[in-house]
Amino acid sequence: MTESIKYLLDESRIPKSWYNIMADLPAPPPPVLHPGTLKPVGPDDLAPLFPMSLIAQEVTTEREVEIPEPVRDIYRQWRPSPLYRARRLEQVLQTPAKIYYKYEGVSPSGSHKPNTAVAQAFYNREAGIRRISTETGAGQWGSSLAFAGALFGIEVQVFMVRVSYDQKPYRRALMETYGARCTPSPSDETQSGRAILAKRPDHPGSLGIAISEAVEVAASRDDTKYALGSVLNHVLLHQTVIGLEAMAQMEMAGDAPDIVIGCTGGGSNFAGIAFPYIGAALRGGKKARFIAVEPAACPSLTRGKYAYDFGDTAHLTPLAKMHTLGSTFTPPGFHAGGLRYHGMAPLVSHLKELGLIDAVAYHQKPCFEAGVTFARAEGIVPAPESNHAVRAAVDEALRCKEEGKSRVILFNLSGHGHFDMQAYTDYFAGKLVDQSYDEAELAMALAGLPSVKAA
Amino acid sequence: MTESIKYLLDESRIPKSWYNIMADLPAPPPPVLHPGTLKPVGPDDLAPLFPMSLIAQEVTTEREVEIPEPVRDIYRQWRPSPLYRARRLEQVLQTPAKIYYKYEGVSPSGSHKPNTAVAQAFYNREAGIRRISTETGAGQWGSSLAFAGALFGIEVQVFMVRVSYDQKPYRRALMETYGARCTPSPSDETQSGRAILAKRPDHPGSLGIAISEAVEVAASRDDTKYALGSVLNHVLLHQTVIGLEAMAQMEMAGDAPDIVIGCTGGGSNFAGIAFPYIGAALRGGKKARFIAVEPAACPSLTRGKYAYDFGDTAHLTPLAKMHTLGSTFTPPGFHAGGLRYHGMAPLVSHLKELGLIDAVAYHQKPCFEAGVTFARAEGIVPAPESNHAVRAAVDEALRCKEEGKSRVILFNLSGHGHFDMQAYTDYFAGKLVDQSYDEAELAMALAGLPSVKAA
């Protein structure tokens, strides 16, 4: 029997620095703007929300940002994460391609999110912060910050999109087990929440609304800062441990990827696996194709507009230039809740504009089909979000078969699906529907983008 | 901040042999008897159920049983599993004790069960078997055999205790994702099942009934063998990889345990961590206390009778001498479904009779309390079964504090609780009840033990 192969690094090889792609970009990304003045935001504008150390990471152009020793100490609980050569999957697909995957599901909360949650909790704690508010969609981010908060003695309040709060009680239970408080959003705890509820008491919520609530709480309470699980530069920075480790592991395997794949919601796990490779290519190293895989029902990179937009629904955040579907866009319900966001990380969007990365979109059923094939071959049940990366990797492997070419494919398996088994149950019962978004709603959301003449 | 420490072995140190405690016992365990003749069973009696290679492992007295290379290849996916020093937990408890735990939740199905599932699937496949029937309570064993079956191309049918089938749809979804067929038990697919349903159509099922159904299918179909997830000697044998790795890791840590703890349902995860240490002590090595921790609502070791009994309800299995509550005993519902079995592994029972191990019993609420403390300190949410081991470890650590003594405590964290979050939800909602079994029912079940004059 063919066996899949694990490449495991020694603990001493957990990266000592995160990799910052800002240092290698051929052109800097457009600045983030203050929504009132339309001038670039400064540290003081962000100070109510984040500790200064994270604000500094948001704008630094240093190539290497040192990982504090206490953060590395916690990373050690599950890092370096394994990299596998999926030989059983290759065999099932009868492909000449070599398929590798980096597996981030080994973390305590089962996804890549703790890579940044631990770092953010550390910097907040260093700054004396004892309370953090945040939002979560499917719950991967909320449970990861809850975990990190427990370790650093920080109280965590999570605004969870109401539809997920109702549909995914187990993610909520996980947050509560770690000691966090989980509030369904929209809630009556904030102005933004009350305004939405006044119009529609049964509003299912959205990530944009939950962000408004969490930001409002942080901005209005001296003892509370805010944390975001994706999109921002410092979050993407923290995730580069994934790609840095993968580079060392691929070297052990004696291969270098021709194709690097990650799923994209806000963009952080894709950035984590891809940025170190993109940076190496920009510095003259091996070129590769970089594929961001998004849900067809929320396709910011493939159908959105590259424009300045708010990160939230109530327009409390600064304006960032990104691929966006408009901050009022509400994607249809699908199971990869972690990918239901109207915008894309500004850095990922910038790379797309520079032609350095590709993007593809898939509906959920073909993604679950690929996920089940993967689970039976490799033994790991992927999260619905990660199934998007699996689908793209499988399709690239099948293309290799058609073309009779052997390419090296590397993808990021960002998390396991243990908390998402209802989605698999629905898939097997034939209950999954490939809903499209409403074209008219998208047009309206795009028409409503803020008008920004500057920049 | 104090950090917990991980001890990780290199892949090359996955044990090459399992450890067989039969070689070191001061007295052999009583033989397993044929229920008709009351004579010791021979290989031919067991041949309808198991391949000869596993029957040989059931009775061998060789100290070391070689692990086949293809099994080690699959173990590599998640083994060697990590061993942690729980320094954050020690700090929370303010104990002078050193607490170590071996973590088996890193396996694809999230528990120690794949250690034997992979081995059993391998030997069945070697014998040309393409179909295996089995039973499962909470679903940890069923999903592990489903995983192993997928890897070896073996069709798996799982009879799942109906109350768990209804309460734990996500474990069932996991089995189906791996390609297994999951049938609620009692079912109308077997004589044993139909007989039960005739008396009580809404029977909630029990592990004893599900075993009867799975055994009946295997015995009546030429193409099908049976697999058991605990209790039998060969199953306990396969689990000794846990303790063998732990010994090497404790050596890395420079400590040797004074106390070794595992939870017990059928006995396999306790055996896995404890047997290699018990064997070493029997051969003149360091003595330690070995504590088997069982649920107070199903207390075979602490309240059962050491007697010959059937492994199943329909009395299709041979008779084994073990601590038993009687094969008709139905424990009350509690969340650690993997510990709801009327009997105890004959080898574990034998060690208890020899005075080599201790047993304690806990109700579920104090176990969940300890589990939540553990999760907040160490970041890992334990399975309800494993919470029993956590509780005992915490109590021993607190005893050290009272006595002002530093002891080295090692326990097996047999699995994570990702599929059991409803139990945590109930715990937080104050809905958990510490039900006791019915004393009259226990008395009746014990009175109904088969009368065995021989032996």
Side-chain angles (χ1 to χ4, degrees):
Chain A
M1 199 174 75
T2 307
E3 269 325 306
S4 295
I5 309 171
K6 177 171 71 176
Y7 297 94
L8 201 56
L9 295 173
D10 185 82
E11 269 186 21
S12 64
R13 300 191 62 190
I14 293 174
K16 295 198 165 53
S17 304
W18 294 296
Y19 165 69
N20 180 14
I21 201 167
M22 298 275 267
D24 292 313
L25 290 176
V32 171
L33 304 181
H34 188 288
T37 64
L38 297 188
K39 296 226 162 77
V41 295
D44 288 351
D45 297 316
L46 298 172
L49 298 185
F50 304 106
M52 274 300 161
S53 44
L54 288 175
I55 295 173
Q57 288 186 358
E58 194 61 19
V59 294
T60 181
T61 53
E62 292 291 316
R63 181 173 289 122
E64 300 196 333
V65 175
E66 196 186 338
I67 305 178
E69 213 38 58
V71 172
R72 291 184 79 235
D73 279 344
I74 296 177
Y75 279 178
R76 259 183 210 112
Q77 184 174 342
W78 70 95
R79 306 209 70 86
S81 68
L83 178 127
Y84 293 97
R85 164 100 182 264
R87 286 177 58 188
R88 291 195 296 251
L89 179 64
E90 292 169 16
Q91 201 171 36
V92 168
L93 300 176
Q94 301 271 304
T95 175
K98 292 180 178 179
I99 307 176
Y100 292 89
Y101 64 97
K102 179 77 169 162
Y103 183 41
E104 291 292 306
V106 293
S107 83
S109 66
S111 77
H112 63 295
K113 295 288 188 187
N115 295 333
T116 184
V118 168
Q120 292 190 51
F122 167 79
Y123 289 115
N124 273 284
R125 177 63 187 256
E126 286 286 287
I129 307 304
R130 294 302 174 106
R131 201 163 176 281
I132 298 180
S133 67
T134 195
E135 70 291 321
T136 201
Q140 291 189 334
W141 167 243
S143 53
S144 301
L145 192 68
F147 155 71
L151 301 191
F152 286 98
I154 294 176
E155 199 184 316
V156 173
Q157 179 175 18
V158 183
F159 289 92
M160 185 171 188
V161 175
R162 184 181 293 274
V163 59
S164 296
Y165 182 92
D166 293 335
Q167 280 174 1
K168 297 180 187 262
Y170 297 153
R171 275 280 175 196
R172 177 189 154 199
L174 183 58
M175 292 182 236
E176 290 174 348
T177 301
Y178 286 137
R181 187 157 79 87
C182 187
T183 310
S185 164
S187 79
D188 58 9
E189 296 192 19
T190 66
Q191 281 194 321
S192 335
R194 286 190 294 272
I196 303 264
L197 289 174
K199 280 191 233 160
R200 187 177 161 190
D202 66 340
H203 198 293
S206 75
L207 217 42
I209 295 170
I211 294 176
S212 295
E213 293 206 89
V215 166
E216 187 183 321
V217 165
S220 60
R221 285 184 61 155
D222 277 350
D223 65 347
T224 305
K225 296 281 180 198
Y226 168 71
L228 190 65
S230 189
V231 179
L232 299 180
N233 299 352
H234 69 267
V235 179
L236 274 53
L237 174 78
H238 300 155
Q239 292 296 354
T240 58
V241 286
I242 302 172
L244 293 168
E245 286 179 7
M247 287 176 112
Q249 289 163 309
M250 289 298 294
E251 214 166 283
M252 284 171 74
D255 269 324
D258 300 303
I259 303 171
V260 179
I261 296 170
C263 65
T264 43
S268 77
N269 101 69
F270 171 76
I273 189 90
F275 279 13
Y277 277 107
I278 296 174
L282 287 170
R283 294 193 305 276
K286 181 181 168 176
K287 302 271 180 285
R289 254 188 89 201
F290 299 95
I291 308 178
V293 192
E294 60 183 14
C298 191
S300 55
L301 273 174
T302 54
R303 293 293 315 277
K305 194 167 161 187
Y306 186 54
Y308 272 102
D309 196 7
F310 291 97
D312 71 323
T313 306
H315 297 178
L316 303 177
T317 70
L319 291 164
K321 194 154 186 187
M322 57 184 177
H323 289 84
T324 178
L325 301 163
S327 65
T328 62
F329 177 79
T330 305
F334 54 89
H335 277 287
L339 307 183
R340 293 179 77 242
Y341 185 59
H342 69 275
M344 179 51 58
L347 273 175
V348 173
S349 292
H350 184 57
L351 290 170
K352 176 76 165 40
E353 285 302 298
L354 292 173
L356 292 170
I357 65 169
D358 292 340
V360 296
Y362 285 104
H363 276 298
Q364 65 180 346
K365 277 201 283 188
C367 294
F368 275 93
E369 186 197 6
V372 170
T373 301
F374 181 85
R376 290 182 186 173
E378 297 295 317
I380 297 171
V381 178
E385 291 81 4
S386 314
N387 278 343
H388 289 73
V390 176
R391 176 77 262 173
V394 165
D395 281 359
E396 290 298 327
L398 293 175
R399 191 196 313 269
C400 286
K401 184 174 164 183
E402 270 173 37
E403 298 176 2
K405 277 192 182 158
S406 170
R407 296 192 188 94
V408 176
I409 300 168
L410 167 65
F411 74 93
N412 192 29
L413 191 69
S414 55
H416 64 59
H418 295 176
F419 295 99
D420 305 284
M421 294 313 294
Q422 186 60 49
Y424 282 90
T425 302
D426 291 349
Y427 172 71
F428 287 120
K431 285 188 194 161
L432 281 200
V433 181
D434 281 342
Q435 283 180 281
S436 282
Y437 52 86
D438 188 309
E439 289 281 358
E441 195 198 331
L442 174 59
M444 218 164 72
L446 289 175
L449 284 174
S451 123
V452 176
K453 303 282 183 222
Chain B
M1 200 173 76
T2 306
E3 269 325 306
S4 295
I5 309 172
K6 177 171 72 176
Y7 297 94
L8 201 56
L9 295 173
D10 185 81
E11 269 186 21
S12 64
R13 300 191 60 190
I14 293 174
K16 295 198 165 54
S17 305
W18 293 297
Y19 165 69
N20 181 15
I21 200 166
M22 298 274 267
D24 292 313
L25 290 176
V32 171
L33 304 181
H34 188 286
T37 64
L38 295 187
K39 295 228 163 76
V41 295
D44 289 350
D45 296 317
L46 298 172
L49 297 185
F50 305 105
M52 273 302 160
S53 44
L54 288 175
I55 294 171
Q57 289 186 357
E58 194 61 20
V59 295
T60 180
T61 54
E62 292 291 317
R63 183 173 287 123
E64 299 196 333
V65 176
E66 195 187 339
I67 305 177
E69 214 37 59
V71 172
R72 291 183 79 236
D73 279 343
I74 296 178
Y75 278 177
R76 261 184 209 111
Q77 183 173 342
W78 71 94
R79 303 209 74 85
S81 68
L83 178 126
Y84 293 96
R85 165 100 183 265
R87 286 178 57 188
R88 290 195 297 250
L89 179 64
E90 292 168 17
Q91 201 171 36
V92 168
L93 301 176
Q94 299 273 305
T95 175
K98 292 181 178 179
I99 307 176
Y100 292 87
Y101 63 98
K102 179 78 169 161
Y103 184 41
E104 290 293 308
V106 293
S107 83
S109 66
S111 78
H112 64 295
K113 296 286 187 188
N115 295 333
T116 183
V118 168
Q120 292 191 50
F122 167 79
Y123 288 115
N124 274 284
R125 176 62 188 257
E126 285 287 287
I129 307 305
R130 295 302 174 106
R131 200 162 178 281
I132 298 180
S133 66
T134 195
E135 71 290 322
T136 201
Q140 291 189 335
W141 167 244
S143 53
S144 300
L145 193 67
F147 155 71
L151 301 191
F152 286 98
I154 294 176
E155 200 184 315
V156 173
Q157 179 174 18
V158 183
F159 289 92
M160 186 171 188
V161 176
R162 184 181 293 273
V163 60
S164 294
Y165 183 91
D166 292 336
Q167 279 174 2
K168 296 181 186 261
Y170 297 152
R171 275 281 175 196
R172 176 189 154 200
L174 183 58
M175 292 181 236
E176 291 175 347
T177 301
Y178 286 138
R181 187 156 79 87
C182 187
T183 309
S185 164
S187 79
D188 59 8
E189 296 192 19
T190 67
Q191 281 195 323
S192 336
R194 287 189 294 269
I196 303 264
L197 288 175
K199 279 191 234 162
R200 186 177 161 191
D202 66 340
H203 198 291
S206 75
L207 216 42
I209 295 170
I211 294 176
S212 295
E213 294 207 88
V215 165
E216 186 184 322
V217 165
S220 61
R221 284 183 62 154
D222 277 350
D223 66 346
T224 305
K225 296 283 180 196
Y226 168 71
L228 190 64
S230 191
V231 177
L232 299 180
N233 299 352
H234 69 268
V235 179
L236 275 53
L237 174 77
H238 300 155
Q239 292 296 354
T240 57
V241 285
I242 301 172
L244 292 168
E245 286 179 7
M247 289 176 111
Q249 288 163 310
M250 289 299 294
E251 215 165 283
M252 282 170 74
D255 269 323
D258 301 303
I259 303 171
V260 179
I261 296 170
C263 63
T264 43
S268 77
N269 101 69
F270 171 76
I273 189 90
F275 280 13
Y277 277 106
I278 297 173
L282 287 170
R283 294 192 305 276
K286 181 180 168 177
K287 302 271 179 285
R289 254 188 90 203
F290 299 94
I291 308 178
V293 192
E294 59 183 14
C298 190
S300 56
L301 273 174
T302 53
R303 293 292 316 274
K305 193 168 163 187
Y306 185 55
Y308 272 101
D309 196 6
F310 292 96
D312 71 324
T313 306
H315 297 179
L316 303 178
T317 70
L319 289 165
K321 194 154 187 186
M322 57 184 177
H323 288 84
T324 178
L325 301 163
S327 66
T328 61
F329 177 79
T330 306
F334 53 89
H335 277 288
L339 307 183
R340 293 179 77 241
Y341 184 59
H342 68 274
M344 180 50 58
L347 274 174
V348 173
S349 293
H350 184 57
L351 291 171
K352 176 77 165 40
E353 284 304 296
L354 292 172
L356 293 169
I357 65 169
D358 292 341
V360 295
Y362 285 104
H363 277 298
Q364 63 181 347
K365 277 201 284 188
C367 294
F368 275 93
E369 186 197 6
V372 170
T373 300
F374 181 86
R376 291 181 186 174
E378 297 295 317
I380 296 170
V381 179
E385 292 81 4
S386 315
N387 277 343
H388 288 74
V390 176
R391 176 78 262 171
V394 165
D395 281 359
E396 290 298 328
L398 293 175
R399 191 196 313 268
C400 287
K401 184 174 164 182
E402 270 173 37
E403 298 175 3
K405 278 193 182 158
S406 170
R407 297 193 188 94
V408 176
I409 300 168
L410 167 65
F411 74 92
N412 192 29
L413 190 69
S414 56
H416 64 59
H418 296 175
F419 295 99
D420 305 284
M421 294 312 296
Q422 185 61 48
Y424 282 89
T425 302
D426 291 350
Y427 172 72
F428 288 120
K431 286 188 195 160
L432 281 199
V433 181
D434 282 343
Q435 282 180 282
S436 283
Y437 53 85
D438 187 309
E439 288 282 358
E441 194 196 332
L442 174 59
M444 216 164 74
L446 288 175
L449 283 174
S451 122
V452 176
K453 302 282 182 220

